Amino acid sequence: MTGGILPRGPGTLTPDTLTADPYNAQTPAVALAEWITPVDAFFVRAHFAVPRLEPGRWRLRLGGLVGTPCEVRYDELPALGTRELDVVLECAGNGRGRMTPPPPGLPWGERAVGCARFGGVPFRAVAARARPDPRAVEFVFTGADVGDEHGRRVAFERSLPLEVALHPDTLLATHMNGEPLAPVHGAPVRLVVPGRFGVADVKWLVGARAVAEPFTGVFQTDEYVYRDARGGTADGPVTTLRVKSLITSPEPDAVLALGTAVTVRGWAWSGGVPVRLVQVRADDDAWHRARLDRPSGPYAWTGWSLRWTPRRTGHHRLQARASDAHGETQPLRAPWNAQGYGCNAAAGVDVLVRRRSGRPGEAGQPD
């Protein structure tokens, strides 16, 4: 684990663009080696154009099934009690590109993920002003981003069960890694729901309404659902993060020296459930237990590492799989579903092992 948050500034890494309009981009592989992912390198997921909202004019309107409909201004938030949480943010489609056959949607690799320090105000402190009616079962959150979806003009909206919306860790986030939110990350205020896929974290938040029946909007029941799921995955809504791991070192296609120990390392996370075990293997050899670091919080990722000494030259595949405190373990192959969500197959990286040549600066020569 590295020692702190990387600053923004000249030369900072930028995400790898998948689409320009709307803007969607993956975290660069080198940035994922950091304990806290730099803001400028953090992946971006947008369905529509990025709205521009000024903090001084921002309002959150609370309505629906509440006793006191009201508005909250940006400058009123700090007085309601701020807090910070380190949170893994992962797109529900992360890893879709590993599924066979490829489902429709953005062809994410394994880098639509990052861990950031979000600061803000618990939503329940704001909701208390509106006094939710006892008949309310959900809060529906509305973003300022609007576009055409399924043949109609819609705002991006998602709902949360009342107990999740009012959990003390569900934040109206105003800061990311100690700085005010950037426009692409939902400025000036976004929702952050630790332990859930990023689709729950409505960006550019402008509205929250309590409802007496489960919400059935486009992004709740048409999109972001497991449909025609196989391999043990049940059909239903996309909700909590699945246990997962990532190998950050060695890098893909690294050339390693025969007989020289290297440290295989990476991250593991789950939906707010502690990671209890990470195992690593080379090719089809036995699994070995990795050493786990202490995470920086209940929703942060857990660092892991294992020393490995290659004993054979040639191409090798290193794999890692994580298990959480509920007994869930990553499958070796990606479970398939029609929209490509929740891919949590064991992490893998391919490396090449050569004999050492004995000449300075050379990793070795192939047999």
Side-chain angles (χ1 to χ4, degrees):
M1 184 167 70
T2 56
I5 297 174
L6 292 185
R8 296 172 67 185
T12 303
L13 291 168
T14 56
D16 298 333
T17 301
L18 282 185
T19 62
D21 185 18
Y23 179 49
N24 290 283
Q26 301 190 105
T27 307
V30 66
L32 289 173
E34 297 296 329
W35 157 53
I36 291 293
T37 311
V39 171
D40 285 352
F42 210 96
F43 86 95
V44 176
R45 176 66 174 112
H47 294 83
F48 309 125
V50 174
R52 300 286 174 163
L53 305 173
E54 294 297 326
R57 303 180 65 179
W58 178 86
R59 301 288 187 275
L60 177 65
R61 295 174 175 83
L62 292 101
L65 202 60
V66 297
T68 310
C70 61
E71 290 186 348
V72 178
R73 301 191 311 270
Y74 187 86
D75 60 6
E76 292 180 288
L77 292 176
L80 298 176
T82 60
R83 60 183 312 196
E84 287 188 326
L85 291 170
D86 291 353
V87 179
V88 171
L89 206 62
E90 183 182 13
C91 178
N94 191 32
R96 178 185 284 125
R98 297 182 63 186
M99 292 184 175
T100 303
L106 289 172
W108 297 110
E110 294 288 353
R111 293 183 281 118
V113 67
C115 184
R117 178 165 295 167
F118 288 100
V121 175
F123 172 69
R124 70 175 185 175
V126 175
R129 288 189 171 189
R131 298 188 299 112
D133 189 287
R135 293 171 295 168
V137 297
E138 290 185 345
F139 262 99
V140 179
F141 296 90
T142 303
D145 49 330
V146 177
D148 295 322
E149 192 74 24
H150 292 274
R152 55 195 176 103
R153 193 79 171 168
V154 296
F156 187 86
E157 292 186 307
R158 287 278 297 185
S159 70
L160 291 173
L162 206 66
E163 65 272 16
V164 178
L166 301 182
H167 191 282
D169 294 338
T170 297
L171 297 182
L172 298 180
T174 58
H175 287 70
M176 185 176 179
N177 294 358
E179 301 179 358
L181 285 174
V184 293
H185 293 302
V189 180
R190 69 176 294 166
L191 197 65
V192 171
V193 190
R196 292 210 165 203
F197 279 110
V199 64
D201 302 343
V202 177
K203 298 186 286 292
W204 311 291
L205 188 66
V206 292
R209 66 184 186 274
V211 295
E213 299 290 338
F215 178 59
T216 58
V218 170
F219 294 101
Q220 194 78 27
T221 56
D222 295 331
E223 300 292 333
Y224 292 100
V225 293
Y226 297 114
R227 184 175 290 118
D228 192 18
R230 306 170 192 171
T233 300
D235 284 2
V238 169
T239 54
T240 57
L241 295 174
R242 293 176 167 178
V243 63
K244 196 166 182 178
S245 62
L246 178 70
I247 297 174
T248 59
S249 182
E251 296 179 356
D253 302 317
V255 179
L256 309 178
L258 180 67
T260 299
V262 297
T263 300
V264 185
R265 66 176 74 249
W267 306 108
W269 63 94
S270 193
V273 180
V275 172
R276 294 299 190 210
L277 174 68
V278 173
Q279 297 172 298
V280 180
R281 74 175 181 181
D283 304 315
D284 293 325
D285 294 346
W287 292 97
H288 298 277
R289 190 183 190 114
R291 181 181 68 85
L292 301 184
D293 297 330
R294 184 186 298 274
S296 60
Y299 308 110
W301 48 26
T302 298
W304 58 265
S305 59
L306 178 80
R307 295 287 282 175
W308 174 63
T309 302
R311 302 297 184 188
R312 300 187 300 273
T313 58
H315 294 276
H316 296 272
R317 182 161 182 81
L318 301 174
Q319 286 185 295
R321 66 180 183 187
S323 301
D324 66 22
H326 286 175
E328 297 294 327
T329 299
Q330 288 181 262
L332 296 182
R333 295 187 179 183
W336 193 90
N337 60 87
Q339 292 181 295
Y341 295 131
C343 176
N344 70 330
V349 64
D350 295 311
V351 299
L352 175 63
V353 176
R354 293 176 171 174
R355 293 187 184 278
R356 285 183 288 185
S357 66
R359 292 193 293 273
E362 294 188 20
Q365 299 294 326
D367 286 358

